[in-house]
């Protein structure tokens, strides 16, 4: 806790000193770099917020798939007697396809956020 408080007090001063030093060395062109860093931070914030939404959707979809799988396993005897194996298989595979599409989107957003 003490380290976090110290960083909260010292970090703004370090940034100000670094900006003054960069201004002395580079002049006004330092502002272009600063604008670029601010733009990248804003983009990362937006991507991270969307990634959080997609992660929640992945979890919801995974819950739906697990619920369908559990339902199928609990009712296996009835499914076999009624010859409904293919219908339940297709239902679970459709849920899995949606889940995989969301996982792919989640991984893509993670890769975008790294760069």
């Amino acid at each position: 806790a003490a380290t976090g408080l110290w960083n909260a007090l010292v970090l703004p001063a370090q940034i100000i000193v670094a900006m003054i030093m960069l201004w002395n060395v580079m002049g006004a062109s330092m502002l272009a770099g600063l604008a670029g860093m601010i733009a990248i931070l804003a983009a990362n914030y937006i991507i991270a917020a969307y990634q959080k939404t997609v992660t929640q959707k992945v979890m919801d979809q995974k819950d739906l798939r697990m619920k369908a799988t559990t339902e199928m396993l609990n009712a296996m005897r009835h499914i076999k007697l009624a010859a409904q194996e293919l219908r339940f298989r297709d239902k679970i595979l459709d849920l899995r396809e949606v889940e995989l599409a969301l996982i792919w989107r989640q991984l893509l957003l993670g890769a975008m956020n790294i760069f």
Side-chain angles (χ1 to χ4, degrees):
T3 305
L5 179 62
W6 176 252
N7 284 338
L9 294 173
V10 173
L11 192 60
Q14 288 178 341
I15 291 172
I16 290 170
V17 169
M19 291 297 131
I20 291 171
M21 292 172 68
L22 277 172
W23 182 270
N24 288 335
V25 172
M26 299 181 67
S29 60
M30 179 268 309
L31 295 175
L34 182 63
M37 288 190 309
I38 291 171
I40 288 172
L41 286 173
N44 278 345
Y45 178 79
I46 292 168
I47 291 171
Y50 186 60
Q51 190 175 14
K52 180 180 176 184
T53 303
V54 170
T55 300
Q56 184 60 46
K57 287 180 182 179
V58 168
M59 292 298 142
D60 293 342
Q61 192 63 34
K62 193 175 290 192
D63 288 345
L64 287 174
R65 183 179 53 87
M66 291 305 298
K67 182 180 175 185
T69 303
T70 303
E71 176 186 343
M72 184 191 75
L73 290 174
N74 288 336
M76 186 64 76
R77 180 177 296 157
H78 300 292
I79 292 170
K80 289 283 190 184
L81 289 174
Q84 295 292 318
E85 299 97 341
L86 296 178
R87 188 174 69 88
F88 271 88
R89 183 196 68 187
D90 292 343
K91 178 181 175 182
I92 291 172
L93 288 178
D94 289 344
L95 290 170
R96 180 66 180 153
E97 283 183 31
V98 173
E99 182 182 349
L100 285 175
L102 289 170
I103 290 172
W104 177 252
R105 188 181 309 163
Q106 180 184 25
L107 292 174
L108 183 63
L109 286 170
M112 287 172 49
N113 209 9
I114 290 173
F115 294 110

